[in-house]
Amino acid sequence: LLFESLPHGKRLLERVDILSFEDLLRRFFPDRHIVPYAERRAQFTQAYAEAQKRWKIGAVPKALRDFRKRHPQLPWDEETLWSEYWDTVMGQLNWRTGQLLDEEGYVNDAATEFDAEERSAIWATFHEWFRFDGDDELTLCRELVADPERLARVYAGVYVDEVQDLCEVQWMVLTRLCWSRNGLFFTGDPFQALRPSGFHWSRLRLRLSRELEVTEGSLGFNLRNARQIAEFVQKELERVRREYRLEDQPDYSVTAITEGMPPAYVETADAQRLAEWLGDQGAMIVWDASALQDDLPQAVGQKGAKVVTVDDSKGLEFDRAVVYQPYTRFRQQMKRRSSIVRRQAFSRLYVALTRARRGLLIVDQHIGRAKEALCPASPEWWERWQAVERGLVRSIDALEEHRRLNY
């Protein structure tokens, strides 16, 4: 749509490839089935359950026997081990040599929080119980990185969105597709890192700067959320970081340039009213797939409104959004010991709260201290929405004509 709106856009569009990362890989491996990320993650869950059983009864390989004596229970939770598998063992390059990680490189040179002894145990654990059939995104990327002759520099420019969900081997594949040293443009939002890519801008910059000259920039403006929503999210993320000691999470500070309604909360809500408010321009957002089976999301969906998970909503925006039980689920996740789970819960909360352009309504019986930054979804709030719908504000200048709406 962007290209078609430009002068001669349709002719330009013929010269542009718009691809998912899987689509890109299919160009190099047209006859290979690519195991989707979600399927590989499910396979890992099954393998983890089997590993727990084997570890508990002591059925471990020789390389793990001494380590297992000191750790009668499998010492890593599933999310931590998955992150180490996907982001580090499969996704990282050796920072010292620039080559793919092998056992020696992982134990001695990988960028990871574990010491050398524990890395040796993790590698042996993966080798014993976490070997999977088929090719996923990372196994194919590792093939391409190992055989750079296959990566022809066919593009003058490569623009990458959602880079925070890609691992190092994927970054390297993308950089080697571009023949212009000034033709790479990576964009992303570290707050939306729902995959365990270990992403941080400094890490991306350090890796790319070994081969390219890197220039950084920030948008600085929030073009999605109304000012009232953006200010609420900023205060909420600051509060959550303090309350749960998430100092490793980046600061969130942006300037919104549009106006909307103040975000509101309600503990319980009528499905018909929510569905009518959402209409065809809104969506109910739930924490994960399990919440899709709850009564309220089911009823809202049956009445014609869109219902999506946080994962499915990432990268999307809606005129208005009902966020279902975000704080109940967030607190459940924050009780977990895994730092990986806690970081992902923070990102998930951010994504859920930032999908709405103008209207944000949170439905949660356990909203806690967030209530202090929200207004109740009172009859007056609903009446103001009806007024907004009759007098849609399309620009900041137009606000002067709508002061009576008390934005």
Side-chain angles (χ1 to χ4, degrees):
L1 291 176
L2 173 63
F3 272 92
E4 288 178 353
S5 68
L6 297 172
H8 311 294
K10 290 186 177 180
R11 289 210 302 271
L12 287 172
L13 191 57
E14 295 173 358
R15 300 166 55 190
V16 175
D17 291 333
I18 301 177
L19 305 169
S20 69
F21 203 89
E22 283 191 11
D23 290 336
L24 175 65
L25 290 174
R26 288 189 184 97
R27 296 199 167 191
F28 295 99
F29 304 99
D31 300 322
R32 305 268 281 275
H33 171 70
I34 301 176
V35 177
Y37 176 86
E39 184 177 335
R40 184 65 89 213
R41 183 66 181 85
Q43 292 170 352
F44 192 92
T45 295
Q46 295 175 349
Y48 183 83
E50 182 64 23
Q52 277 187 310
K53 294 177 185 177
R54 298 286 184 178
W55 194 282
K56 187 174 183 179
I57 64 176
V60 300
K62 184 177 180 180
L64 285 169
R65 287 174 189 169
D66 290 341
F67 188 83
R68 191 264 173 192
K69 288 177 183 178
R70 298 192 298 276
H71 303 276
Q73 302 293 328
L74 191 65
W76 313 286
D77 62 81
E78 181 185 335
E79 289 79 9
T80 298
L81 211 56
W82 167 249
S83 177
E84 193 69 4
Y85 172 82
W86 186 261
D87 175 49
T88 307
V89 171
M90 297 299 296
Q92 268 192 33
L93 297 175
N94 187 318
W95 279 56
R96 181 174 58 83
T97 66
Q99 303 300 311
L100 294 170
L101 281 180
D102 54 14
E103 181 176 5
E104 181 182 358
Y106 172 68
V107 172
N108 297 315
D109 299 309
T112 180
E113 63 186 36
F114 300 107
D115 60 31
E117 180 189 26
E118 199 163 5
R119 293 183 204 186
S120 295
I122 289 173
W123 186 276
T125 299
F126 286 151
H127 182 74
E128 183 70 15
W129 294 301
F130 294 87
R131 290 184 287 180
F132 304 108
D133 294 330
D135 299 303
D136 56 41
E137 295 175 21
L138 297 191
T139 57
L140 295 178
C141 283
R142 287 169 66 88
E143 279 193 40
L144 292 174
V145 172
D147 185 11
E149 296 298 323
R150 299 186 63 177
L151 285 169
R153 296 185 182 274
V154 295
Y155 295 114
V158 175
Y159 172 89
V160 184
D161 195 14
E162 306 287 1
V163 69
Q164 76 277 354
D165 285 330
L166 302 181
C167 297
E168 286 181 15
V169 293
Q170 294 169 298
W171 303 345
M172 291 301 103
V173 168
L174 292 166
T175 61
R176 294 169 187 176
L177 293 175
C178 187
W179 54 260
S180 171
R181 296 184 66 83
N182 297 318
L184 288 167
F185 196 92
F186 286 1
T187 67
D189 182 353
F191 285 96
Q192 296 191 53
L194 299 185
R195 286 190 181 188
S197 65
F199 179 82
H200 195 281
W201 285 114
S202 61
R203 180 172 167 181
L204 175 62
R205 182 181 63 250
L206 285 171
R207 169 56 70 189
L208 296 182
S209 63
R210 296 190 173 195
E211 300 186 22
L212 303 164
E213 182 178 345
V214 178
T215 301
E216 266 189 284
S218 175
L219 182 61
F221 291 97
N222 184 332
L223 301 177
R224 172 185 293 126
N225 308 125
R227 174 182 59 81
Q228 293 84 348
I229 296 174
E231 290 177 353
F232 161 70
V233 172
Q234 181 171 332
K235 292 176 182 177
E236 264 303 278
L237 294 185
E238 290 174 357
R239 179 188 69 80
V240 167
R241 288 177 72 228
R242 291 194 306 270
E243 185 173 333
Y244 293 95
R245 299 179 180 178
L246 297 170
E247 292 84 2
D248 59 330
Q249 295 301 305
D251 292 326
Y252 177 77
S253 179
V254 295
T255 300
I257 61 175
T258 61
E259 296 288 326
M261 283 282 290
Y265 75 92
V266 64
E267 294 186 356
T268 59
D270 176 68
Q272 182 66 41
R273 187 170 203 177
L274 293 181
E276 290 176 355
W277 182 67
L278 291 172
D280 61 357
Q281 298 296 311
M284 171 176 274
I285 300 171
V286 302
W287 193 259
D288 57 23
S290 66
L292 292 172
Q293 306 307 315
D294 290 0
D295 290 343
L296 186 60
Q298 286 269 311
V300 169
Q302 289 169 1
K303 295 183 183 302
K306 182 187 292 291
V307 181
V308 296
T309 65
V310 170
D311 290 84
D312 290 337
S313 73
K314 189 166 73 71
L316 302 179
E317 58 185 59
F318 306 96
D319 182 67
R320 64 206 78 173
V322 172
V323 184
Y324 174 69
Q325 292 191 343
Y327 290 99
T328 296
R329 298 299 300 274
F330 176 76
R331 290 192 188 90
Q332 291 172 353
Q333 296 292 294
M334 297 309 289
K335 292 178 181 178
R336 304 278 294 277
R337 294 174 59 187
S338 169
S339 61
I340 303 295
V341 172
R342 291 164 63 87
R343 286 199 299 268
Q344 291 182 340
F346 183 83
S347 295
R348 195 171 288 273
L349 180 66
Y350 165 81
V351 172
L353 297 179
T354 55
R355 299 307 93 192
R357 289 194 294 268
R358 291 193 303 152
L360 173 64
L361 176 62
I362 297 173
V363 180
D364 200 326
Q365 292 179 311
H366 306 286
I367 199 166
R369 291 181 59 191
K371 185 183 296 186
E372 300 170 8
L374 295 163
C375 68
S378 61
E380 291 76 18
W381 188 84
W382 292 103
E383 289 174 7
R384 289 175 67 189
W385 254 106
Q386 293 177 1
V388 169
E389 294 297 86
R390 290 194 299 269
L392 178 63
V393 176
R394 298 186 182 278
S395 69
I396 293 178
D397 293 337
L399 288 174
E400 295 300 322
E401 302 174 13
H402 293 271
R403 285 182 178 275
R404 56 186 173 77
L405 300 179
N406 296 317
Y407 270 66

